[in-house]
Amino acid sequence: MRIDSLQSLAELRESAQQYVHLRRDDVKEHPADAKIKHQLMVCGGTGCVASRSDEIIEAIHKALEEHQVDDVEVIKTGCFGFCGQGPIIKVQPDDLFYVRVQPEDVSELIESHVKRGEALERLLYVDPRNQKVVHNHHEMDFYEKQERAALRKCGLIDPMNIKESIAFDGFHALGKVLTDMTPQDVIDIIKTSGLRGRGGGGFPTGLKWEFTRKSVGDKKYVICNADEGDPGAFMDRSILEGDSFSVVEAMAICGYAVGSDHGIVYIRAEYPPAIQRLTAAMDQAREYGFLGENIFNSGFNFDIEIRLGAGAFVCGEETALISSVEGGRGEPTRKPPFPAESGYNGKPTVVNNVETLANIPDIILNGGEWFASMGTEKSKGTKVFALAGKVNNIGLVEVPMGTTLREIIFDIGGGIPGGKKFKAVQTGGPSGGVITDRDLDTPIDYESLKSIGSMMGSGGMIVMDEDNDMVEIAKFYLEFTTDESCGKCTPCRIGTKRVKELLEQLINLEGDEETLEKLDTLCNNIRSTALCALGQTAPNPVLSTMKYFPEEYMRYARREVKKTYSIDPEKCIGCTRCARVCPVSCIAGEVKKPHVIDEELCISCGACFDACKFDAVLRP
Amino acid sequence: MSNSVLSTEHLDKTKLAELDKYIAGLENKQEAIIHILHRGQEIFGYLPKELQLYIARKADLPAAKVNGIVSFYSFFSQEPSGQYQISICLGTACFVKGADAIIKEFRSQLDMADKRVSDDGRFSIRDVRCVGACGLAPVVVINEKIYGHVGTDDVAGIIEQYRGAEG
Ligand SMILES: Cc1cc2nc3c(=O)[nH]c(=O)nc-3n(C[C@H](O)[C@H](O)[C@H](O)COP(=O)(O)O)c2cc1C
Ligand code: FES
């Protein structure tokens, strides 16, 4: 079915809305004679599938049959964001959220909620702050302060069904652009919106498009960067899993604006479900005429192909990405020239991040001013963060720029588990730095995060508590960058290795205060001499932990750190709990007598520390 | 890599035929080299040097260039893995939740201190960077199955499921 005018698109939207009316916020009354009374939205994101959401869907179908229910539909959606509580089922139109559902719960859920019309209390979310059961999803602390723009359709639609996207205005922006806007109009709206690159660099998107439009070339390219290399970040994956349609639509809009007919999505091979949904979105878009030739009868042609990455962090950097797309090792090149002048095959190329693109269609539909009304003076709109680590509510969070880290970690994230103390949060992944308690009230934007020694990055946000050793964290990141250095320039290839060795010396208690000085000098040298941003930013985790936690480095340098756990004989009552949980059986002692840890065998796992009820186990 | 001692003779013929079919359908073989290697690894399970040479010839690329690509990208493996591939996530979210203790635990339980593949070929251990299930950290993947919230004391039980299993 080919859509070739705004008129036929509007008709299709109207008919498609019948399938989704139970999910629409703006529809309050549902026809009494409707055939479908409930839609069960089951999260099909990677996290929830890992915790058996596919089995849940199967179980629902079985239960519906068993209970002879025929007015309920099951829809597998993308990520709802609340990953730590998965698997999640959202029941519409009741706007009710069931969390941590197991396949075994499903029959009871159908029986209670669908047949008797009573919410199944035991599977509802309990607010950890006041122990109250939350019925309405909008009342959950996790969602209260969020503002969904890039993620608007994630969790709302079936990502394998283009009609559901169209029902929520999908491809309307493309239709509008192609039927009554000039390429310059499009660029102007994006410029007005103030949208900046969400891949980390923060470059103004409108300007990038304008440069590419003005660059001379017989062929131009639009590349979507879906390499998402920051380990522990999952924004782009979730967008592609939940709503690839918006990204496909945005790439076509970008193609029209810059004068390109050829799009490429460079995506990690480690993301099979995202690849599958993106492929389906592209196929369906072709079928409806949103990709291909003469789109909306405007004479504009555009199509997209997928290129797979193969596990190299540096390939997220745009020039390295282009080398990889051209079929080589993903090694970066010096800029300028920027891809906008000379990119893929030497032609002008726009490289944009997934989340940047996902914002485009709504900006076109709602206007640049709408987007610019959210955020701070220099950073407009919203940003998606992948909140993970030592925080209660792990998941995908989208907030207006200018929200503070404290709001994200404590209000949305629900604070630190187990009554532990917050220590630091890392933003910007291996290129960023740690932010401590004293800066938690900084309103987030590109500039403010830089000024406190970190960076926005692509949106990874890892929370650490008092148990995390900052020198170990720095070493962890350096191990990552040494592994991922492409080897082209010496400061990065050799320099990061030396930094890692110095950190290892400290941790093995073989360093001294001179080691700290060497670390500092070396880090600053790498920063100023490496070829690409990977190398230039690699020392950041070390420099920022040194800055904020100098005493931890000093303790290693003075060799005051104990490497293993130990037991305080005064406090130990000999309950044997620690000895029983120790995975390497390195704790000995008789019942009711103080126990001892064999330091040679201890692997510092902390199991004894957590098990002890008498505070008798001492941390290293 | 030196071609003189390598021979593509011993590569499985039916598998090669499948790969040939894929390569024949490609327009620009040189640019698609990463895709060809992905397909090769899917079919053969890993990319032995002989196969790299074979692919290089097919794509009309120097073998050294193909080997350079294979060694550059961590997704490609030049050695076979065990029957059960244990991938322990060392992404940041998993690391801050103690993934390093989990990997130590697997190594000590399987007696594979510095081995990649166990002597009987049943298990291999590797670390990976973020499998995308950070909400379940720490995460361990065995072949296709994902285990979430793994603690050191769960390790023995997980291994047991595979030790007993046949085939
Ligand atoms: C080491 C390194 C890794 C990067 N990784 C990514 C990535 O995973 N995803 C991404 O979109 N951009 C990444 N970037 C930024 C890209 O180079 C580029 O700026 C971005 O894709 C442009 O799109 P945007 O303007 O929409 O952000 C990385 C940059 C560097 C230096
Ligand atoms: S960091 Fe382990 S799954 Fe993401």
Side-chain angles (χ1 to χ4, degrees), chain A residues 231-232, chain B residues 89 91-94 130-134 139:
Chain B
C89 180
T92 321
C94 289
C130 192
V131 297
C134 316
V139 175

Side-chain angles (χ1 to χ4, degrees), chain A residues 47 50 231-232 234 237 269 306-311 324-330 344 389-390 394 468 476-477 480 483 486 583, chain B residues 31 33-35 38 65 68-69 72-76 90-93 95-97 101 104-105 129-132 134-136 146:
Chain A
F234 45 94
R237 169 175 62 76
I306 294 180
R307 290 297 174 83
L308 296 183
S324 178
V325 173
E326 287 168 350
R329 292 161 62 102
Y344 176 52
K390 302 279 189 69
I394 293 176
N468 291 117
F476 165 78
Y477 280 116
F480 180 82
D483 275 0
C486 76
Chain B
E31 194 173 289
I33 183 69
I34 293 175
H35 280 226
H38 271 299
K65 168 148 191 194
I69 293 173
F72 181 85
Y73 292 100
S74 64
F75 198 85
F76 297 133
L90 276 189
T92 321
F95 178 79
V96 301
K97 288 204 160 178
K104 276 188 198 149
E105 186 63 18
R129 306 273 189 197
C130 192
V131 297
C134 316
L136 308 174
I146 299 186

Side-chain angles (χ1 to χ4, degrees), chain A residues 120 164 167 221 247 249 263 272-273 496 613:
Chain A
L120 182 56
E164 299 210 345
Y221 296 95
V247 176
E249 182 181 6
T496 56
K613 292 195 167 156

Side-chain angles (χ1 to χ4, degrees), chain A residues 463-504:
Chain A
V463 182
M464 299 164 205
D465 71 7
E466 53 184 310
D467 291 348
N468 291 117
D469 177 322
M470 289 297 140
V471 186
E472 291 275 5
I473 296 281
K475 184 182 122 205
F476 165 78
Y477 280 116
L478 260 293
E479 264 168 12
F480 180 82
T481 26
T482 18
D483 275 0
E484 296 297 336
S485 169
C486 76
K488 191 169 171 181
C489 76
T490 321
C492 178
R493 184 182 66 244
I494 314 269
T496 56
K497 249 203 194 92
R498 294 288 168 271
V499 171
K500 191 184 97 183
E501 286 163 8
L502 289 174
L503 289 170
E504 275 164 358

Side-chain angles (χ1 to χ4, degrees), chain A residues 293-572:
Chain A
E293 304 208 329
N294 197 15
I295 304 169
F296 279 96
N297 270 348
S298 64
F300 171 67
N301 307 331
F302 191 82
D303 214 327
I304 302 177
E305 58 173 320
I306 294 180
R307 290 297 174 83
L308 296 183
F313 175 64
V314 71
C315 287
E317 196 282 331
E318 53 194 12
T319 61
L321 183 153
I322 289 170
S323 314
S324 178
V325 173
E326 287 168 350
R329 292 161 62 102
E331 287 174 359
T333 53
R334 225 172 245 294
K335 293 190 277 194
F338 290 91
E341 293 162 67
S342 169
Y344 176 52
N345 288 337
K347 307 289 181 195
T349 304
V350 172
V351 181
N352 268 141
N353 163 263
V354 171
E355 185 189 335
T356 312
L357 290 167
N359 279 303
I360 300 285
D362 279 359
I363 292 178
I364 301 284
L365 290 179
N366 302 335
E369 291 78 11
W370 161 75
F371 194 78
S373 71
M374 296 182 282
T376 64
E377 193 198 334
K378 287 191 176 152
S379 304
K380 301 299 187 190
T382 60
K383 177 78 193 89
V384 182
F385 292 99
L387 187 61
K390 302 279 189 69
V391 61
N392 274 313
N393 301 336
I394 293 176
L396 210 58
V397 172
E398 182 169 3
V399 288
M401 294 276 190
T403 306
T404 67
L405 283 161
R406 192 182 302 282
E407 287 172 295
I408 297 180
I409 298 167
F410 289 92
D411 298 345
I412 297 172
I416 316 300
K420 299 265 165 121
K421 249 177 69 191
F422 168 84
K423 186 164 186 180
V425 54
Q426 170 104 4
T427 63
S431 311
V434 292
I435 298 167
T436 60
D437 199 31
R438 52 165 247 202
D439 290 318
L440 278 186
D441 292 311
T442 313
I444 295 184
D445 69 14
Y446 290 96
E447 282 72 28
S448 67
L449 287 180
K450 253 194 203 141
S451 73
I452 54 177
S454 186
M455 65 188 316
M456 180 78 79
S458 57
M461 194 176 269
I462 306 280
V463 182
M464 299 164 205
D465 71 7
E466 53 184 310
D467 291 348
N468 291 117
D469 177 322
M470 289 297 140
V471 186
E472 291 275 5
I473 296 281
K475 184 182 122 205
F476 165 78
Y477 280 116
L478 260 293
E479 264 168 12
F480 180 82
T481 26
T482 18
D483 275 0
E484 296 297 336
S485 169
C486 76
K488 191 169 171 181
C489 76
T490 321
C492 178
R493 184 182 66 244
I494 314 269
T496 56
K497 249 203 194 92
R498 294 288 168 271
V499 171
K500 191 184 97 183
E501 286 163 8
L502 289 174
L503 289 170
E504 275 164 358
Q505 270 178 26
L506 283 174
I507 289 171
N508 296 336
L509 305 184
E510 290 157 1
D512 48 33
E513 289 182 34
E514 207 182 309
T515 319
L516 297 182
E517 279 165 37
K518 277 194 206 152
L519 252 184
D520 191 62
T521 320
L522 186 54
C523 284
N524 282 304
N525 283 343
I526 297 174
R527 210 182 214 182
S528 49
T529 53
L531 170 69
C532 82
L534 188 152
Q536 291 155 12
T537 57
N540 283 355
V542 183
L543 289 169
S544 84
T545 46
M546 279 177 95
K547 175 169 173 201
Y548 291 114
F549 299 96
E551 69 292 349
E552 294 196 20
Y553 279 86
M554 203 43 104
R555 277 174 49 219
Y556 276 111
R558 297 199 179 129
R559 309 183 190 184
E560 291 163 1
V561 181
K562 269 200 276 99
K563 296 294 294 165
T564 54
Y565 284 77
S566 55
I567 292 173
D568 180 349
E570 300 280 307
K571 286 189 177 163
C572 178

